[in-house]
Amino acid sequence: MKVTIVGAGNVGATCADVISYRGIASEVVLLDIKEGFAEGKALDIMQCATNTGFNTKVSGVTNDYSKTAGSDVVVITSGIPRKPGMTREELIGINAGIVKTVAENVLKYSPNTIIVVVSNPMDTMTYLALKATGLPKNRIIGMGGALDSSRFRTYLSLALDKPANDISAMVIGGHGDTTMIPLTRLASYNGIPVSQFLSEEVLQKVAADTMVGGATLTGLLGTSAWYAPGASVAYLVDSILNDQKKMIACSVFVEGEYGQNDICIGVPCIIGKNGIEEIVDINLNDQEKALFAKSADAVRNMNDALKSILV
């Protein structure tokens, strides 16, 4: 199985490293526009093989899409990262043209691929990739919910002082500091609602910390995070390539689901060899429905900026 990652920066390279280390794919191609950059990252990863025991072939290319031919999954991380004080939404004008060009180029050589979008603002870039390519909606997936849910589980783990892998929790809605919806009501620790262990005040703080999880790291690092985003992409790719049918919150085109139409937004999805295989309908309460509608409105407003690009 072959995976191409477009953009060999921190997120792309981390994704390639995790996919290789875990043996998720037999071949990974890193592509970047900066001369020698992807080649160097790929060589560095390959030199880990004898010490970590993986057999994945990793190669890097400079802007040569022919080397990506036959990719089962293409991950788009290209675009500029966030700087301190910058919102994901502020990246739209710069990253839209990049994502559109990349999506069109990869399909020339991998017409049957599934595209995973990471570039921000992620919901809007996912919508752009879908509209620009004309692919069926199951083959265009925005990664954001997988990352947001991972951060949610981490903050719950810290609050509970329990292992994150024993915690089930999900974030839906837009992948933005004000649009994501951590579902505290449904979060559980080994099947027991976390509300039995944590006060409402603590749960609200966990939710608030989750929503600004990316901005917090940007402030600390001076740029966007990369370890958790890269690992979240690899987790999603693993479910696709190995047909694992995992339920993962992903940004996907909705046509009536959750009362919304004509946007890409984070909802629970079954992820398998066909990409988005099912959108799972969970029973939201009235408050959660209102938050989701508000989130959808914000995402839809951002999509308006794409009109000139999609003409």
Side-chain angles (χ1 to χ4, degrees):
M1 304 293 275
K2 181 175 180 178
V3 176
T4 285
I5 301 168
V6 182
N10 289 332
V11 174
T14 300
C15 178
D17 187 49
V18 175
I19 288 174
S20 302
Y21 181 75
R22 292 182 55 200
I24 292 171
S26 56
E27 181 178 359
V28 175
V29 177
L30 272 169
L31 184 147
D32 204 278
I33 60 171
K34 184 178 179 181
E35 187 71 37
F37 192 61
E39 290 89 338
K41 291 287 185 78
L43 184 58
D44 195 14
I45 293 170
M46 281 293 287
Q47 289 171 357
C48 298
T50 56
N51 294 322
T52 57
F54 72 79
N55 297 303
T56 302
K57 176 185 176 184
V58 186
S59 60
V61 296
T62 301
N63 220 29
D64 182 1
Y65 283 88
S66 68
K67 302 296 185 183
T68 72
S71 294
D72 298 285
V73 176
V74 172
V75 178
I76 303 177
T77 74
S78 46
I80 65 166
R82 280 206 288 176
K83 300 291 191 294
M86 179 183 284
T87 66
R88 293 181 178 92
E89 290 78 12
E90 289 175 300
L91 302 176
I92 186 169
I94 300 169
N95 288 349
I98 297 172
V99 169
K100 181 174 184 289
T101 299
V102 169
E104 291 169 346
N105 281 332
V106 296
L107 286 174
K108 292 177 184 176
Y109 298 96
S110 302
N112 298 314
T113 196
I114 292 169
I115 295 177
V116 175
V117 179
V118 183
S119 307
N120 277 316
M122 191 273 310
D123 299 292
T124 300
M125 294 301 102
T126 304
Y127 182 83
L128 170 66
L130 180 76
K131 294 297 183 177
T133 62
L135 290 178
K137 71 177 189 178
N138 63 295
R139 290 173 54 194
I140 302 286
I141 306 171
M143 179 281 300
L147 172 60
D148 298 334
S149 298
S150 177
R151 287 173 172 161
F152 186 26
R153 292 171 67 189
T154 298
Y155 284 117
L156 284 169
S157 169
L158 293 172
L160 289 163
D161 193 25
K162 298 292 189 296
N165 285 326
D166 284 350
I167 297 168
S168 177
M170 183 178 294
V171 176
I172 61 173
H175 180 59
D177 299 349
T178 61
T179 56
M180 65 179 75
I181 306 162
L183 294 173
T184 55
R185 180 178 64 89
L186 300 178
S188 64
Y189 165 59
N190 279 333
I192 303 171
V194 295
S195 57
Q196 292 193 24
F197 305 96
L198 301 174
S199 68
E200 181 61 26
E201 182 181 2
V202 171
L203 282 173
Q204 289 306 311
K205 185 179 186 305
V206 166
D209 288 344
T210 299
M211 293 175 72
V212 296
T216 299
L217 287 163
T218 300
L220 292 169
L221 298 168
T223 187
S224 295
W226 58 90
Y227 293 122
S232 296
V233 179
Y235 180 75
L236 181 58
V237 170
D238 192 12
S239 193
I240 296 169
L241 292 184
N242 293 299
D243 197 23
Q244 293 174 338
K245 315 291 189 188
K246 289 176 181 174
M247 185 189 297
I248 305 173
C250 297
S251 185
V252 62
F253 188 73
V254 289
E255 297 175 289
E257 297 92 348
Y258 291 87
Q260 300 299 324
N261 283 283
D262 196 35
I263 57 169
C264 291
I265 192 168
V267 291
C269 299
I270 303 300
I271 306 296
K273 64 182 179 181
N274 298 308
I276 302 289
E277 301 202 342
E278 180 185 349
I279 294 175
V280 179
D281 184 14
I282 55 177
N283 291 321
L284 302 180
N285 62 27
D286 290 342
Q287 181 184 19
E288 291 158 350
K289 288 177 181 178
L291 288 171
F292 192 87
K294 182 179 178 181
S295 178
D297 287 342
V299 171
R300 189 173 288 106
N301 287 338
M302 277 197 296
N303 290 350
D304 289 343
L306 296 175
K307 289 178 181 177
S308 62
I309 297 170
L310 290 170
V311 172

